[in-house]
């Protein structure tokens, strides 16, 4: 037996509450025996995850500010809708004026989780696909050169950094 630190205990308790809440919402069972079995199964999963040492800030990111996360989701959904409209215009244009290009954008996030969120956000946006992520940048395939220019402005990067740290990071232009 080894003592558990406050942070680990906090993560384990929040994981238990999330698992038990999801179990209750999906099952809808209110019988005391079934509620007890659901709580027991949630506790067992948390115990196994703790023993495997996989409960951490990246696997269970409760440290993100929920309001900044909500704001990010609104911004991302807006960008997805906007990009969908732009791609539809390109596809239905008689000359289909696409200019596929590979570009590198700066990733100012401090953690691997932040970089993954940024890369996945780029891929979710129609017309762009994240190809490779390294310590400071992401290689992106863009349907049009303009899409790469928009990414290099760093607006989406700043939003992801704001979720992660609560502050904006300056965006430097990477070399292509």
């Amino acid at each position: 037996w080894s003592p558990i630190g406050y942070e680990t205990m906090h993560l384990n308790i929040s994981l238990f509450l999330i698992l038990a809440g999801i179990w209750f919402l999906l099952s809808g069972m209110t019988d005391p025996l079934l509620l007890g079995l659901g709580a027991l199964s949630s506790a067992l999963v948390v115990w196994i995850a703790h023993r495997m040492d996989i409960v951490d800030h990246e696997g269970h990111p409760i440290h993100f500010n929920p309001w900044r996360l909500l704001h990010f989701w609104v911004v991302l959904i807006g960008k997805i809708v906007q990009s969908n409209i732009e791609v539809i215009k390109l596809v239905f244009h008689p000359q289909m004026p696409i200019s596929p290009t590979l570009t590198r954008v700066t990733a100012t996030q401090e953690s691997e989780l932040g970089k993954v969120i940024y890369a996945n956000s780029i891929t979710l946006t129609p017309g762009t696909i994240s190809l490779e992520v390294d310590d400071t940048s992401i290689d992106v395939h863009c349907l049009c050169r303009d899409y790469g220019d928009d990414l290099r402005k760093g607006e989406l990067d700043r939003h992801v950094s704001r979720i992660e740290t609560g502050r904006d990071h300056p965006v430097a232009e990477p070399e292509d």
Side-chain angles (χ1 to χ4, degrees):
W1 181 81
S2 63
I4 300 175
Y6 173 76
E7 182 178 348
T8 304
M9 185 173 55
H10 187 251
L11 290 171
N12 287 335
I13 290 171
S14 67
L15 179 60
F16 171 78
L17 292 174
I18 289 170
L19 289 174
I22 289 172
W23 181 91
F24 179 73
L25 289 174
L26 293 177
S27 72
M29 301 291 179
T30 56
D31 181 51
L33 174 65
L34 294 175
L35 286 174
L37 290 173
L40 183 64
S41 66
S42 298
L44 180 64
V45 169
V46 171
W47 179 75
I48 291 170
H50 176 73
R51 294 273 304 176
M52 292 174 65
D53 198 26
I54 59 173
V55 181
D56 59 8
H57 274 296
E58 290 192 357
H60 185 55
I62 60 169
H63 60 285
F64 287 163
N65 181 312
W67 296 114
R68 284 192 291 255
L69 193 59
L70 180 64
H71 180 259
F72 170 72
W73 276 104
V74 169
V75 168
L76 182 60
I77 290 169
K79 288 198 169 296
I80 290 171
V81 169
Q82 178 187 6
S83 294
N84 267 310
I85 292 168
E86 291 173 12
V87 169
I88 289 170
K89 287 178 184 177
L90 284 175
V91 169
F92 286 113
H93 193 280
Q95 285 83 34
M96 197 181 291
I98 62 171
S99 55
T101 185
L102 184 63
T103 189
R104 178 168 287 159
V105 295
T106 302
T108 60
Q109 291 70 39
E110 295 176 359
S111 69
E112 289 181 15
L113 178 62
K115 288 179 181 69
V116 168
I117 291 172
Y118 183 39
N120 285 339
S121 300
I122 290 170
T123 299
L124 280 172
T125 308
T128 55
I129 298 174
S130 300
L131 300 175
E132 186 174 348
V133 179
D134 63 27
D135 289 341
T136 59
S137 64
I138 300 173
D139 291 335
V140 180
H141 181 272
C142 302
L143 188 60
C144 287
R145 188 175 317 276
D146 295 344
Y147 295 174
D149 295 340
D150 288 343
L151 281 173
R152 277 194 298 275
K153 289 179 186 173
E155 181 184 351
L156 190 57
D157 179 73
R158 283 189 295 275
H159 283 291
V160 175
S161 292
R162 205 174 292 135
I163 297 171
E164 187 180 44
T165 64
R167 62 185 185 281
D168 289 340
H169 288 280
V171 176
E173 291 286 326
E175 299 105 28
D176 280 330

